[in-house]
Amino acid sequence: MENMNEKYREKNPFTVPDGYFDRLTERIMELTESKKEIHKSNLLQVFRPYIGIVAMFVVMMGGMYMLVPIAMERGEDLLNDTIVQGTSEEEILADDIFDSGFNPTNDEIIEYLAIEIDNYELILADVY
């Protein structure tokens, strides 16, 4: 490797052709002037991304327009089946899934939690 360093230390291996820098600016200007083309964008190219977004929403709304009535009909059918089985619509709506008369005291809540929840769950809940 030392032979290579000694061989090229005195001589620069990179050369430039004769007269390269004489007309460099003129050649660059000629190339840029010949490539000056005004690119006019038409309306379709400008609005193409927006057209895609609008099309996506139209497809989604069309799907919803078709699927929601079907789901509503199925829900009405289920409600009608329940009414036919002997439960009226008023009874279904009047059913209270929560016992509004149940009002436990703090001691009852603590006792319930002590029985139902183990220490590991309390540690995970960062309470214990």
Side-chain angles (χ1 to χ4, degrees):
M1 198 66 179
E2 290 180 20
N3 284 339
M4 296 291 278
N5 286 339
E6 289 175 11
K7 181 178 180 183
Y8 290 107
R9 186 174 294 173
E10 298 169 6
K11 180 183 172 190
N12 187 356
F14 303 105
T15 59
V16 178
D18 294 335
Y20 180 77
F21 290 107
D22 294 342
R23 291 195 58 235
L24 180 64
T25 55
E26 294 171 8
R27 285 184 297 180
I28 292 174
M29 292 305 288
E30 287 174 6
L31 289 173
T32 55
E33 285 178 8
S34 66
K35 299 213 177 196
K36 281 186 182 177
E37 295 177 9
I38 298 174
H39 182 69
K40 294 182 181 180
S41 60
N42 59 13
L43 211 52
L44 181 64
Q45 288 177 339
V46 172
F47 289 114
R48 182 175 288 161
Y50 303 111
I51 292 171
I53 292 171
V54 168
M56 179 184 66
F57 280 114
V58 166
V59 168
M60 287 175 36
M61 294 305 287
M64 293 297 289
Y65 182 76
M66 294 172 65
L67 294 177
V68 168
I70 294 170
M72 293 296 291
E73 288 175 11
R74 287 186 183 171
E76 288 173 2
D77 291 343
L78 289 174
L79 183 61
N80 291 335
D81 290 345
T82 306
I83 291 172
V84 168
Q85 292 175 358
T87 309
S88 68
E89 187 174 352
E90 290 82 20
E91 289 176 6
I92 293 170
L93 295 175
D95 268 349
D96 190 8
I97 59 171
F98 299 106
D99 188 4
S100 59
F102 180 67
N103 191 9
T105 63
N106 286 343
D107 292 334
E108 290 173 337
I109 294 172
I110 291 171
E111 182 181 342
Y112 172 77
L113 290 176
I115 293 170
E116 294 295 325
I117 298 178
D118 61 353
N119 291 338
Y120 182 70
E121 290 175 348
L122 291 174
I123 290 170
L124 288 178
D126 209 15
V127 175
Y128 192 60

